Structure formats: structure tokens, C-alpha cells
Amino acid sequence: IFDGPGEVLLTGALEDAIKEVALLRCRFNEPSCTPALKDNPSEPVSAVALHARTGMLYIANNRDGLLRKYDQEGLLVAESSKDLPSLPVLRLEDGLLFMNSSGGPAISVFRPDTGSFGKQLDEIIVLPPIAEVAEQSKVSDFLRLRDNWWVTLEDPETGERGVYQYDSQWKYLSALQLPEGFTPEKLIAWGEKLLILDNSQP
């Protein structure tokens, strides 16, 4: 995640550290990398979201089942115990924190503010009929792009996936027609365009 001019947050390991992958803050002009979380510098990071205006960091750690909130200095300000999915995805939108659910084809909505951090406000079911027929009952990725939400649903048994479009109120709109053999692994917003990554494709 780019965080201001010349800085990026990424997951990696320092050369002199044990093989723990943690969150690092790297600067291009030096270049150098240091742990981004001062309170828990080696905390394993399963997913991260950055509030661009305040610099607050939201971390999902599925090893200990915790959502944590850090300030821009990397100091812990709040935490909440959750039933996290094996591969969590965190998104900050419209003052709310969204995460894929561990319990089915749903996206959980949480409060990100420190006083009520992690309080669940809603559970949005995202299972259009076409995905239900294909037995795609697990949310593997999702993102907001302008007025639409895009969701990747996966069959937990076969790994087959589809990408589905919703409006801003989560009303189902359409299914993307992907090339045969293309497996959507990551959704990326690039300006006003949606990029879809398949690591097996050139």
C-alpha cells in the first residue's frame, strides 16, 4: 500500500529477523525498510487496510483471531476478537470496515472507530443464483470501484471462481464473463478500471 510520497507498506521479513513475515514501512529515497508496527513489530499480518487521511492501520491476524487498529506511529489503539476467514480481506469504505466472512457467502461490516472498534453492524449475503448453482459459497476477494462493488466467489471444494458485480447498495447486477481457464485471484482498482489477476496467466 502506498502511503504518501516515497513510502510503501508491504509484508516481508528483515534480513536479520526470523522468518516471520510482518508489516514493513519502506522508503524509496534511502532505501530502507523498518517494522511498521512499534507495539507488535513481528505480528503476522493476514490482511491490512490503511485510512489514507488519518494514517490509521487496520490489521487482521488470523493466527490469533484478532482485528487490531494502530495509529500512524504504529502504536496499538484498539483490538477485537473475531472469527476470521483463512484468507481475510479488509476494505475501508464510507467510514466502515468490511471483511469477508468465515461463515459463508457474506461480507461482514464493522465499526472502525476506536471506542466501538470491531462492533459488527451488518452481514451482507452475496450469493446470486448463478453462483449458488455453481456452488460458489466463499468470498475470496472484493472491492469497491466508483458506484459498484465487485466480489469473487469460490467453490470451497473445487476452487472454481466467478466475479460478480453489485451496485452501491449490494443489489446484484451481473456476472463477468471470464476467458476459459482464467482463475481470478486478486481484484485491483486501477483508476476507474478493474484489473483481475490470475498468477498462472502471462
Side-chain angles (χ1 to χ4, degrees):
I1 302 175
F2 287 93
D3 184 18
E7 289 195 355
V8 65
L9 294 165
L10 53 83
T11 51
L14 297 173
E15 291 182 2
D16 58 350
I18 304 175
K19 295 180 180 179
E20 287 288 353
V21 175
L23 190 66
L24 305 177
R25 181 179 296 277
C26 299
R27 296 170 177 85
F28 297 129
N29 58 351
E30 298 178 12
S32 67
C33 291
T34 56
L37 308 178
K38 291 182 180 178
D39 276 353
N40 301 296
S42 61
E43 177 181 2
V45 174
S46 307
V48 59
L50 168 70
H51 193 290
R53 184 176 56 82
T54 65
M56 291 287 184
L57 285 167
Y58 299 85
I59 306 292
N61 178 350
N62 61 14
R63 180 178 297 182
D64 59 12
L66 286 173
L67 280 178
R68 290 190 172 102
K69 179 180 180 179
Y70 293 85
D71 66 15
Q72 57 187 347
E73 302 300 323
L75 300 176
L76 182 66
V77 295
E79 67 180 21
S80 179
S81 178
K82 297 294 173 192
D83 181 16
L84 299 179
S86 57
L87 294 173
V89 177
L90 291 177
R91 305 288 186 196
L92 274 170
E93 294 289 343
D94 299 328
L96 297 171
L97 184 63
F98 296 82
M99 183 178 69
N100 50 330
S101 174
S102 63
I107 294 172
S108 304
V109 186
F110 303 104
R111 289 185 59 167
D113 51 295
T114 303
S116 301
F117 179 67
K119 179 181 179 181
Q120 186 164 348
L121 299 176
D122 202 356
E123 187 89 347
I124 302 163
I125 304 298
V126 285
L127 186 63
I130 186 173
E132 189 172 11
V133 170
E135 298 184 341
Q136 295 168 347
S137 60
K138 173 184 173 184
V139 176
S140 61
D141 199 7
F142 67 98
L143 64 75
R144 174 85 176 261
L145 185 59
R146 297 190 67 191
D147 294 330
N148 291 324
W149 287 94
W150 299 86
V151 178
T152 301
L153 289 167
E154 176 183 348
D155 182 333
E157 299 295 328
T158 66
E160 292 185 2
R161 299 177 181 176
V163 179
Y164 303 92
Q165 182 184 15
Y166 302 79
D167 68 12
S168 60
Q169 302 301 311
W170 295 101
K171 178 183 177 183
Y172 171 67
L173 297 177
S174 65
L176 276 187
Q177 298 300 312
L178 298 171
E180 186 175 351
F182 189 96
T183 301
E185 297 180 21
K186 187 69 178 173
L187 303 177
I188 304 164
W190 184 42
E192 296 185 356
K193 296 182 179 181
L194 176 70
L195 303 184
I196 305 176
L197 172 68
D198 179 351
N199 285 329
S200 69
Q201 301 288 333

